[in-house]
Structure formats: C-alpha cells, structure tokens
Amino acid sequence: MKMKLRITVDDTVLTATMLDTTASKDFMALLPLTVTLKDYAGEEKVCDLPKKLSTQGSPAGYDPELGDITYYAPWGNLALFYHDRGYAQGLVKLGHLDGGVDLLAGKRTDISARFETLP
C-alpha cells in the first residue's frame, strides 16, 4: 500500500509518495510534524526528528536522487534532496517528492515545513 505525504512550505503544498518500509512507517507515525528545514551543502534541506527511526531491513547506505526524502541514521535527521549527490553510508530512502523540487532549491534560508499524512 502506497503512503502519501503532504508537505506545506509557506503557501505551497507539495506531495510525496512514501515507501512501504519500516523506516518510512516509523516516520509517518510521527506526523503531523512542523519543522525548520535548513540548507545543507547546497544539496539538501535537513531537520532533526523528535526520535530516531527504525532502519531494520534497510540497506547500509543509499545514492539519493533529486527529490528523494531520506533519513540519515547516524545523525537521526530527515533530508530532502534538491541536488544530486553520491552514495552515503547510513542514508535510508523514505520516499520521493511528486514534484516541487525547484521550490526547495530556490530557498537558501531556513524554511518552516509541515508534514502530514494524506488520506
């Protein structure tokens, strides 16, 4: 079963399709959640999560693609990629934005975002 996510940034609503994995389900169980996304390395928007997610059954690392929503297990943070980067040990894919990556790429300052499940 596909899980859907709504991300509200300012007045813009983005949607994402989440994977059916332990880590993704663990993340979805935290919602609704309002966070401050900070720019990291000109590649991704990151934020801390209120608790660590289970990575049971996840590969040791991942090579993220543009628009991926990921969890970086060593730091316990969420990362939304708006630029391509290489393989990272401890990175777990949670889902993928359905669109709107350019919105994230265009904002170099901290942004408030609200994550909610879509019925």
Side-chain angles (χ1 to χ4, degrees):
M1 176 174 109
K2 295 259 184 195
M3 297 180 290
K4 296 294 282 186
L5 178 67
R6 174 176 46 227
I7 307 165
T8 306
V9 177
D10 297 328
D11 294 328
T12 305
V13 175
L14 307 176
T15 60
T17 302
M18 304 303 284
L19 299 176
D20 188 12
T21 64
T22 302
S24 290
K25 289 175 186 174
D26 225 13
F27 171 70
M28 297 294 279
L30 297 174
L31 306 183
L33 186 65
T34 301
V35 299
T36 299
L37 295 172
K38 298 179 181 296
D39 200 68
Y40 184 78
E43 299 173 341
E44 57 193 286
K45 296 291 185 193
V46 300
C47 69
D48 292 329
L49 292 175
K51 74 175 199 80
K52 291 202 174 254
L53 305 180
S54 171
T55 56
Q56 182 179 356
S58 299
Y62 179 70
D63 181 0
E65 298 176 5
L66 190 69
D68 278 351
I69 299 170
T70 64
Y71 174 66
Y72 187 57
W75 293 352
N77 69 358
L78 187 70
L80 287 76
F81 283 87
Y82 63 82
H83 196 275
D84 197 22
R85 83 171 312 273
Y87 176 90
Q89 186 81 15
L91 194 64
V92 177
K93 183 176 179 179
L94 301 177
H96 192 83
L97 291 171
D98 298 330
V101 174
D102 53 333
L103 172 74
L104 297 178
K107 293 187 179 281
R108 296 299 178 175
T109 58
D110 293 356
I111 53 177
S112 178
R114 180 156 176 88
F115 292 80
E116 302 169 283
T117 56
L118 273 176

